[in-house]
Amino acid sequence: MKGLYCKPGDQGDVKFVSQETNVPTNIGDHQVKVQVKSCALSPVDFKLYEDLKLEKEHVPVGREIAGVVLQVGPKVSFFQPDDEVVGILPLEAEQSGLCSVVVTDEYNLVQKPEKVSWFEAAAVIKDGLRAYTALHTLARMAAGQTVLVLDGAGPFGVLAIQLANYHGVKVLATALSPEDQKFLEELRPSVARVIRVWGSKEDLVDSCLEETGGLGVDIIIDSGVRLYEEPEAQRHCPHKHDLLTLLSVGGHWVTTEQHLQLDPPDSHILFLKAASLSFLNDEVWTTSRAKQGRYLHILKDVMDKLCTGTFRPQLEDPVPLYEATVSMEMVQRKQTRKRIAVKL
């Protein structure tokens, strides 16, 4: 059985290789053997593996999976053979999600609704978790607030918009291209305002303050931040000072920028506004079991909202397994957004 693995190079290069993997003959008391039907291809964060002391010569690729239960351990209580499941393999997993069969703890999986396709389940499970973590766990959103979602047409941004709309939150979103703008303007429930940031079409701060009557937005969810005057390639990312300016009194900024630096004047602005800052790292759910019950509840609710149509992801066509290596190279280089490999 073959799986896809990546090996970091000496100069930041990444090599993806397909190699044979053995499935454990005996499974643990609380483990489940799953036949994989679909797997999401997302960028691999090698720095996170290094920080958590999980470096490996070959890092498994593809952690968001959907499939059918083949066998369960003697103490498994959540599942039985032939159940359809979806979940996220932990960072310490030895097997690639692109293997035909994987073994994992039952606590990493939830039931997949019958109406949800394999393709959609694997595509949405992690971005849905990120949206919940950002808006519920970190920002504590409430009806009547205003949220700014940067890169609203991205896989994560779309679900964040739809989750916020579901809870009665007014949504502003940025578009990085004319295609993204068209998609966001046609999204239903609608986005209150789509802000064009490619080619300096609109000023982000002015647009947000105009839309909120000068009060600023209650919640910001970014997709990257410019710390300095960086090359043109990063111009679509707002400067940290812009986000501090458009944040409201008592507002909350949820950032994906792990190297964000706040100077004393920046911290003083947050103090004057009684505002707060949180770092979005959804991997904490699997690296720490402190809130295991809440984690599984979120995964189940993500699937329920996908089943009922609250979540309607923007997805590219699935790729067959034999194209997974090429697709993963493009995803890792950020030449394309998330791709989903399906078993033909």
Side-chain angles (χ1 to χ4, degrees):
M1 179 183 66
K2 287 190 175 182
L4 186 63
Y5 297 80
C6 57
K7 183 177 181 180
D10 297 333
Q11 299 179 356
D13 298 330
V14 178
K15 183 178 181 181
F16 292 93
V17 294
S18 179
Q19 65 180 29
E20 289 291 335
T21 306
N22 295 322
V23 181
T25 306
N26 299 318
I27 62 176
D29 288 345
H30 291 280
Q31 289 189 317
V32 177
K33 184 181 290 186
V34 178
Q35 181 182 19
V36 179
K37 296 292 187 180
S38 64
C39 174
L41 303 177
S42 301
V44 179
D45 187 348
F46 294 103
K47 184 66 168 63
L48 184 60
Y49 279 91
E50 181 183 337
D51 291 341
L52 297 176
K53 311 299 182 187
L54 295 173
E55 298 107 318
K56 306 172 186 178
E57 183 179 359
H58 292 92
V59 178
V61 170
R63 295 173 46 227
E64 302 129 76
I65 63 167
V68 178
V69 174
L70 297 178
Q71 182 184 351
V72 299
K75 294 185 179 180
V76 170
S77 57
F78 293 168
F79 308 107
Q80 56 188 359
D82 297 326
D83 281 351
E84 297 183 350
V85 296
V86 58
I88 303 171
L89 300 179
L91 287 168
E92 64 269 20
E94 296 292 335
Q95 291 176 285
S96 163
L98 288 165
C99 293
S100 57
V101 176
V102 299
V103 174
T104 187
D105 289 342
E106 63 175 323
Y107 311 114
N108 298 321
L109 305 168
V110 294
Q111 297 276 359
K112 180 187 78 67
E114 186 178 346
K115 294 181 180 178
V116 174
S117 69
W118 303 114
F119 174 56
E120 291 178 322
V124 167
I125 189 69
K126 190 169 186 181
D127 286 320
L129 173 66
R130 283 171 61 83
Y132 264 81
T133 305
L135 290 170
H136 282 298
T137 308
L138 300 178
R140 306 286 184 180
M141 71 172 172
Q145 291 183 321
T146 301
V147 60
L148 169 65
V149 179
L150 300 171
D151 188 14
F156 164 58
V158 170
L159 298 188
I161 289 171
Q162 292 168 347
L163 184 62
N165 271 323
Y166 176 81
H167 287 281
V169 175
K170 180 180 178 180
V171 180
L172 315 179
T174 63
L176 308 186
S177 68
E179 293 76 20
D180 287 355
Q181 179 188 354
K182 184 175 184 296
F183 169 78
L184 290 171
E185 289 176 344
E186 294 174 352
L187 201 59
R188 295 294 179 271
S190 61
V191 175
R193 181 162 181 170
V194 178
I195 303 168
R196 302 169 295 169
V197 296
W198 78 91
S200 301
K201 292 287 184 180
E202 293 183 68
D203 184 85
L204 179 63
V205 175
D206 291 345
S207 298
C208 290
L209 293 180
E210 177 185 336
E211 194 65 36
T212 59
L215 298 178
V217 298
D218 300 294
I219 301 169
I220 298 171
I221 302 177
D222 71 40
S223 60
V225 180
R226 276 191 296 129
L227 305 182
Y228 314 102
E229 291 303 322
E230 298 178 13
E232 190 65 28
Q234 277 82 40
R235 295 297 296 178
H236 66 275
C237 291
H239 197 282
K240 63 178 180 179
H241 295 149
D242 293 339
L243 298 186
L244 290 170
T245 301
L246 58 83
L247 193 62
S248 71
V249 170
H252 201 99
W253 174 10
V254 179
T255 182
T256 59
E257 179 53 64
Q258 57 183 295
H259 301 298
L260 178 66
Q261 285 184 295
L262 292 184
D263 300 319
D266 302 328
S267 299
H268 189 59
I269 293 174
L270 287 174
F271 168 76
L272 291 175
K273 293 186 174 186
S276 56
L277 170 70
S278 294
F279 290 88
L280 177 57
N281 175 19
D282 53 278
E283 296 293 355
V284 296
W285 294 107
T286 55
T287 55
S288 170
R289 298 299 185 185
K291 294 179 170 56
Q292 181 67 33
R294 182 180 298 180
Y295 170 61
L296 292 178
H297 175 77
I298 292 173
L299 296 188
K300 183 179 183 301
D301 205 41
V302 168
M303 286 296 104
D304 289 343
K305 283 184 167 51
L306 182 59
C307 183
T308 58
T310 301
F311 283 157
R312 297 176 309 285
Q314 182 189 23
L315 302 174
E316 296 190 33
D317 294 334
V319 298
L321 289 179
Y322 61 82
E323 292 182 5
T325 301
V326 175
S327 297
M328 189 61 210
E329 289 173 350
M330 296 174 64
V331 170
Q332 189 70 25
R333 297 191 197 107
K334 299 184 179 179
Q335 295 173 340
T336 184
R337 286 168 171 160
K338 176 186 289 189
R339 302 304 301 270
I340 313 300
V342 296
K343 186 175 181 180
L344 299 177

